Amino acid sequence: ALVGGMFRKAGFDAVDVKLDLNVVDMRKALREFGSKARDADVAVIYYAGHGIELDGTNYLIPTDAALETDTDVLDEAFPLDRVLFAIEPAKQLRLVILDACRDNPFAKTMKRTVASRAIGRGLAKVEPSSPNTMIAFAAKAGSTASD
């Protein structure tokens, strides 16, 4: 809520604050954001929550995710690429701020269906493929930021 207020004070025309989203609401929020981004010069997504890295891909975790196995990540979490897809239509600048580089909260209980599958510490480094796109992390690649 405080970050949303900061963006309003900074002059952003449309600021939507979404809190504690489950998988359905997160999917809906990304769809709605993508529609609004088509008319925007500048678009920003700020995400505070849990994120994990699996085999080099970063995922954002909805509040209702039940990640018992590594395969569950594919079904119940959102790849960072989905967020980048939502923000891509903005005309001049795209900014994704991830306050999500934490230890995997499921690491101790998550079973691996493939022994060689890597569940990383923190989030993996990402290079945006679209011009004028910046991704800011809470900590450098492969490290964690405390809650």
Side-chain angles (χ1 to χ4, degrees):
L2 291 173
V3 171
M6 184 262 322
F7 281 114
R8 283 184 195 96
K9 286 180 185 173
F12 280 77
D13 295 333
V15 177
D16 291 331
V17 175
K18 308 283 186 181
L19 303 173
D20 299 326
L21 299 181
N22 61 32
V23 68
V24 171
D25 292 337
M26 198 167 180
R27 186 174 292 117
K28 181 180 175 187
L30 285 169
R31 250 193 327 265
E32 289 172 356
F33 183 89
S35 294
K36 291 178 182 178
R38 282 193 285 273
D39 298 325
D41 289 328
V42 177
V44 180
I45 291 178
Y46 174 86
Y47 174 83
H50 287 287
I52 63 172
E53 179 258 321
L54 179 67
D55 281 342
T57 299
N58 294 319
Y59 294 87
L60 307 183
I61 305 174
T63 58
D64 62 343
L67 305 182
E68 295 176 10
T69 71
D70 51 3
T71 305
D72 294 337
V73 174
L74 303 175
D75 296 325
E76 299 197 32
F78 286 86
L80 181 57
D81 285 347
R82 175 62 185 96
V83 174
L84 295 174
F85 186 81
I87 203 168
E88 190 172 12
K91 296 176 182 92
Q92 292 180 10
L93 177 65
R94 298 158 214 67
L95 177 60
V96 177
I97 303 168
L98 297 175
D99 186 3
C101 208
R102 302 186 176 120
D103 279 328
N104 176 355
F106 303 94
K108 291 180 178 153
T109 58
M110 186 183 289
K111 295 176 182 72
R112 294 185 188 177
T113 57
V114 177
S116 62
R117 186 162 289 143
I119 300 172
R121 177 175 159 78
L123 296 174
K125 184 177 180 178
V126 175
E127 292 296 331
S129 56
S130 299
N132 301 321
T133 301
M134 181 174 150
I135 304 169
F137 292 93
K140 70 180 184 174
S143 63
T144 60
S146 64
D147 283 340

